[in-house]
Amino acid sequence: MDFTPTEGQEAARELAGRIFADLATHERLRALGTGTDAELWKALCAAGLPGAVEETGLLGLVLLLEEQGRRTAQVPFAASCAYGILAVARHGTEEQRARLLPGLRDGTTVATGAFPAPGTVTSGPEGLGGTVGWVPWLGDATHVLVPDGDRALWLVRTEDAAAVEAVELTAPWAAARLVLDGTPAERLGTGSPAPYEDVLAAARIAFAGLQAGVCAGSLARAVEHTSVREQFGRPLSTHQAVQLRAADAHMDTEAIRVTAYEAAWRFDEGLDAAGAALTAAWWASEAGKRVVHAGQHLHGGPGADLDHPVHRHFLWGRQLDAYLGCGTELLAELGDRLAKGDPS
């Protein structure tokens, strides 16, 4: 396997990094509060970055999401690419791809997903019924990908839902409660478990990449802080306890990154990536929360300030810790696959 970015992937990552650095500043994020950055989303789409994912693959998306995570930029990039562009491109009909992909590429269509399957959504001749407690970025979405109890995938226009009620999460993800009651929907994929498993694996890998960026950003802030903050006449970074804590956080961050890269590479190569996706998601959950706790701890008193930039990394890290399965759930699912003799 080779994780070296292609020329196209590297160019997209550099462009994304510049846009996020210019617009996802501490001052702008503080002014946004829990809102979505419409100007940033417009800039990303104008640069063609969501659409580039079709060419750069899931590994390319992971690289872009790392840049988003470093800045905790409040845009529905991961959701719209994982549940929209990749899902439609891989499982949509020719007509669905022609109709939906142009809008997903230019940002006029925003997708999200009610994943994992909650088992509370039913499908029938009258439409979809049921309630999903919270869906990330649903407040900004025009479409939501909903799995029913049989794990068939349905694409729902949010304007057709019985209700979309805003809810507050740990991280500012414009989440909402989705209520379906005879809601019209169109089928995506064949209806077999394969499309659901494929989309869930892609989402887990994508959000693991986002967590790698969140952790890298938290650690970078901690390194900067401890290098200039002095205690007993010398920088905090010269104390062995600080060095060891930062080193552990660095190793955890690299573990999240490399497992996300491997899973994305397998996905792009057409190999079985379900087990690798679970591994990446487990590291994102277990190691991610350790890193963002360390980031706050290494800031000392300032780390407890809710207005400090590092606190956003803490909130995002803890939200990603639980999204698409917490560590123990993922480990149990991975154990089930191993017990069944899954070769991956």
Side-chain angles (χ1 to χ4, degrees), residues 76-88:
F77 204 141
S80 198
C81 287
Y83 299 123
I85 288 178
L86 290 178
V88 172

Side-chain angles (χ1 to χ4, degrees), residues 232-257:
F232 307 122
R234 59 193 178 109
L236 287 172
S237 59
T238 62
H239 294 272
Q240 187 178 47
V242 172
Q243 294 172 355
L244 292 175
R245 191 77 193 274
D248 286 342
H250 171 73
M251 293 302 294
D252 273 338
T253 301
E254 289 302 299
I256 300 169
R257 177 182 289 115

